[in-house]
Amino acid sequence: MAAAAADVLGDRLSGGVMVIKRDTTQDVGAKLPHPGSYHILAAGHPVPDERSVAGARRIADLLSDSREGDLVIALISGGGSALLSLPAPGLSLADIQALTGQLLACGASIDEINTIRKHLDIIKGGGLARMAHPADLVTLVLSDVVGSPLDVIASGPTVPDPSSFADALAVLDRHGLPDRAPPAIVDRLRRGAAGERAETPGPSDPCFARASTLLVGGNPQAAEAAERAARAAGLSALILTTYLQGEAREAGRFLGAIGRELASAGRPLPRPACVIVGGETTVTLRGDGRGGRNQELALAAVGELAGLPDVALITLATDGGDGPTDAAGAVVTGETLSRARALGLDPAASLARNDAYPFFTALGDLLRPGPTDTNVNDLAFLFAW
Amino acid sequence: MAAAAADVLGDRLSGGVMVIKRDTTQDVGAKLPHPGSYHILAAGHPVPDERSVAGARRIADLLSDSREGDLVIALISGGGSALLSLPAPGLSLADIQALTGQLLACGASIDEINTIRKHLDIIKGGGLARMAHPADLVTLVLSDVVGSPLDVIASGPTVPDPSSFADALAVLDRHGLPDRAPPAIVDRLRRGAAGERAETPGPSDPCFARASTLLVGGNPQAAEAAERAARAAGLSALILTTYLQGEAREAGRFLGAIGRELASAGRPLPRPACVIVGGETTVTLRGDGRGGRNQELALAAVGELAGLPDVALITLATDGGDGPTDAAGAVVTGETLSRARALGLDPAASLARNDAYPFFTALGDLLRPGPTDTNVNDLAFLFAW
């Protein structure tokens, strides 16, 4: 996105800041037509770090002298909630890091996590739009959130925030966190819910008077590209949904049940077939194993698909990184169970420990494409041939 | 099934015994063309009672003088495992009742429960075929088990048993029951696993030499009939799977995600559309509310479908009884959430208590067709118009 913008803008680009994931910095810099046009900073993900704060400060500095007639272009993609952080007065980065870890571990949805983040951080929830005011502001968004709600992607730094301090506090309550979350955070949310803190800017805030936002890509576009590729390869193809959410292991059983139908009845599509599902599931941690949501989803389908001929399930994170692993996802076929047993592996026991990564490593069935530098959530493909 | 058989056989029917659920006896009797052709007994379900033993004895008596050239027709449908029981020597009905209750409460699968039942009961796991020997035996099966494994439906009284005493003991172990199950049962399974008891008959047992089995109906046939009806009504229709299992609330979210795709992108089918899913989900109890798996599945989809125009999810148990309620299932639309809130109802809170029945009762959105006298598992329909 940054390279394309620099290409179009040429020397009309007076300055820019890119804050990206730590391990992609050099590659991205090399892709820019005018490498000097942006300050490039790497920052932490999925938990924000001190570089996330430095990046947000750099952006705030750049925007501090914006005036009417200037054009600010915000290029937003997945991960922005962690990559940019300006803790609200009275909060420390350590507080926000601790809470982010707790929210990720308890299975909170990204919508819930970002509702809280927007009320702890002054660059999120329309905060960047306030900084850019009174310049013209155009935001181009690549979505990594199911359904592409613009206020949730990267915690909506340039769009109105429909959520309130009371909503954020309700998320903490729902996950039983008020006793465990950092006290300064609980205090801020409680005071905010009591009306003692200013809310994030809503739709009628003047900072949005000259702001416009365009969704340039997301999971549906990726699923549609996959559908075209499958059809071009001679398969019948069908997108079931691009809104999949919920517990990864249960989604895996549902897809396994569709695999059994494909194998036994040639439904919902005639063979050779490719059923495509997009979205992003979550994993509620029960054990201390290694893995990610796409690998766990695949592992949960092993039993359902066991023994079926000519069927495969392939799962992947489109950014190439599934959870805290170097794999994007995994491949399961009707033979996975018997191959695993021959190696002394028990998929049910691995699933109970959230330990999909060693399971698929032993089988040689992980997908490892490396980082793709773009995140449009996850895709799963059920093949029958 | 009994009425149809009596109709076809006429006065060639020399005798019959029907053992059915307590609350359906009179209705079923009235449907018979020749009411006197069967002894009709009502028995307990899902936990067997003394009438289950009386019914099994009556069948054993009927078959005690069967000889070569006789034709025995077994009509098997869901619930047979509880409705017929002949405890093995040394075991009491009370032992079997206690164990059945323990297995149902700990979330054991029907496959696991029936593996144990077959090793405690002399009419199950091929036992009825032994009684009918040397007559010709034809079994007609109406399946209430996902995937229709003939040895699991009604605990396979007329088919070979692929499971062993060791398998049955392993089920007890898996659910931590050896210390809690009735001692006579644990003792029998241990002796059996040690080779001190004769196994249930396997495929080469002579009692199956003149036996044949026909699956006459099940969930796929019901789903296909629904698909035909939807197409006849001018809808595009698609069966996704007839193998759905897993946690009801997660299946509800998955179907809700497909509803969002139907509403936003006209996928996987063009409108007006009907997506059909069959199988049988389970509910892991977390609260003390009232409901059933089909009502819980519907309740879990309320949030996903909220606000969508012209979309509905309808769930039902084909026997008309969802869990311990008088409803078969429920109806959810895009307006369910706002209608519920207007009544002060919170679907998330109801779901947390497994309390779908009062929720849908208040909305007037339960399905209450009454008993259908046939069980081919569950169906869910997602409509978009």
Side-chain angles (χ1 to χ4, degrees), chain A residues 147 220 224 238-247 250-251 253-255 257-258 260-261 264 267-268 304, chain B residues 147 220 224 238-247 250-251 253-255 257-258 260-261 264 267-268 304:
Chain A
E224 286 158 15
L238 189 69
I239 298 173
L240 274 193
T241 184
T242 57
Y243 291 90
L244 182 63
Q245 293 182 285
E247 192 68 28
E250 294 287 340
R253 289 194 73 177
F254 202 121
L255 287 175
I258 298 175
R260 290 181 74 178
E261 191 73 23
S264 68
R267 289 188 294 236
E304 293 281 329
Chain B
E224 286 158 15
L238 190 69
I239 298 172
L240 274 193
T241 184
T242 56
Y243 291 90
L244 182 64
Q245 292 182 289
E247 193 68 28
E250 295 288 338
R253 290 195 71 178
F254 202 121
L255 287 175
I258 298 174
R260 289 181 73 180
E261 192 73 24
S264 68
R267 289 188 295 237
E304 293 281 328

Side-chain angles (χ1 to χ4, degrees), chain B residues 118 122-131 155-161 200-201 207-208:
Chain B
K118 288 190 277 190
I122 59 175
I123 200 168
K124 298 179 165 53
L128 200 152
R130 280 188 167 155
M131 296 173 189
S155 297
T158 61
V159 296
D161 181 15
T200 45
C207 74
F208 300 118

Side-chain angles (χ1 to χ4, degrees), chain B residues 44 46-53 85 87 92-104 120 182 185:
Chain B
V47 176
D49 62 11
E50 67 291 343
R51 305 293 299 266
S52 308
V53 179
S85 182
S92 70
L93 176 64
D95 288 336
I96 289 182
Q97 288 173 325
L99 182 75
T100 305
Q102 290 171 337
L103 288 166
L104 290 172
L120 305 178
I185 287 178

Side-chain angles (χ1 to χ4, degrees), chain A:
Chain A
M1 294 174 88
D7 217 24
V8 169
L9 293 168
D11 56 13
R12 284 168 292 185
L13 177 60
S14 61
V17 178
M18 281 177 66
V19 186
I20 53 180
K21 275 176 81 169
R22 192 174 291 276
D23 50 358
T24 52
T25 317
Q26 292 191 330
D27 279 0
V28 171
K31 288 177 193 166
L32 290 175
H34 315 289
S37 48
Y38 296 92
H39 293 289
I40 304 181
L41 295 95
H45 185 274
V47 176
D49 62 12
E50 66 292 339
R51 306 293 300 266
S52 309
V53 178
R57 289 231 171 88
R58 197 87 190 222
I59 289 173
D61 288 348
L62 179 70
L63 298 178
S64 62
D65 61 349
S66 63
R67 62 195 73 172
E68 240 178 279
D70 286 349
L71 172 61
V72 175
I73 301 180
L75 307 173
I76 307 281
S77 57
S81 295
L83 295 173
L84 292 186
S85 182
L86 268 186
L91 300 185
S92 70
L93 176 64
D95 288 337
I96 289 181
Q97 289 172 324
L99 182 74
T100 305
Q102 290 171 337
L103 288 166
L104 290 171
C106 73
S109 73
I110 191 65
D111 192 353
E112 290 179 323
I113 293 175
N114 287 359
T115 292
I116 293 189
R117 281 166 156 169
K118 288 190 277 189
H119 290 87
L120 304 178
D121 193 312
I122 59 175
I123 200 168
K124 297 178 165 55
L128 200 151
R130 279 187 167 157
M131 295 173 189
H133 186 74
D136 290 335
L137 171 63
V138 172
T139 304
L140 306 180
V141 181
L142 201 53
S143 171
D144 76 326
V145 181
V146 172
S148 300
L150 296 174
D151 64 295
V152 177
I153 301 163
S155 298
T158 62
V159 297
D161 180 16
S163 74
S164 65
F165 275 105
D167 295 330
L169 196 58
V171 173
L172 274 199
D173 283 338
R174 201 172 306 141
H175 294 284
L177 289 175
D179 297 336
R180 293 191 287 135
I185 287 178
V186 179
D187 181 65
R188 177 176 169 82
L189 295 182
R190 286 193 174 140
R191 284 173 186 266
E196 297 171 27
R197 293 271 180 279
E199 278 289 355
T200 45
S204 60
D205 193 282
C207 73
F208 300 118
R210 293 165 166 277
S212 60
T213 301
L214 216 69
L215 184 67
V216 296
N219 193 264
Q221 286 73 23
E224 286 158 15
E227 186 185 39
R228 284 193 298 272
R231 287 180 178 158
L235 307 179
S236 58
L238 189 69
I239 298 173
L240 274 193
T241 184
T242 57
Y243 291 90
L244 182 63
Q245 293 182 285
E247 192 68 28
R249 63 181 61 205
E250 294 287 340
R253 289 194 73 177
F254 202 121
L255 287 175
I258 298 175
R260 290 181 74 178
E261 191 73 23
L262 275 168
S264 68
R267 289 188 294 236
L269 286 177
R271 296 173 177 227
C274 175
V275 174
I276 301 165
V277 172
E280 186 168 309
T281 61
T282 46
V283 171
T284 303
L285 290 177
R286 296 146 210 251
D288 59 355
R290 292 190 66 198
R293 58 196 181 277
N294 289 282
Q295 294 161 66
E296 176 139 325
L297 190 156
L299 182 55
V302 170
E304 293 281 329
L305 298 182
L308 300 182
D310 304 333
V311 169
L313 174 66
I314 300 181
T315 66
L316 58 90
T318 56
D319 66 355
D322 182 37
T325 73
D326 63 355
V331 181
V332 175
T333 73
E335 293 164 14
T336 301
L337 180 62
S338 56
R339 289 173 54 229
R341 287 199 175 140
L343 295 173
L345 299 168
D346 174 4
S350 295
L351 190 59
R353 292 194 306 271
N354 303 114
D355 207 22
Y357 184 86
F359 178 89
F360 287 113
T361 299
L363 288 168
D365 289 346
L366 285 174
L367 282 187
R368 279 203 191 84
T372 65
D373 293 342
T374 293
N375 182 4
V376 288
N377 298 121
D378 302 331
L379 291 170
F381 304 93
L382 198 52
F383 290 99
W385 58 92

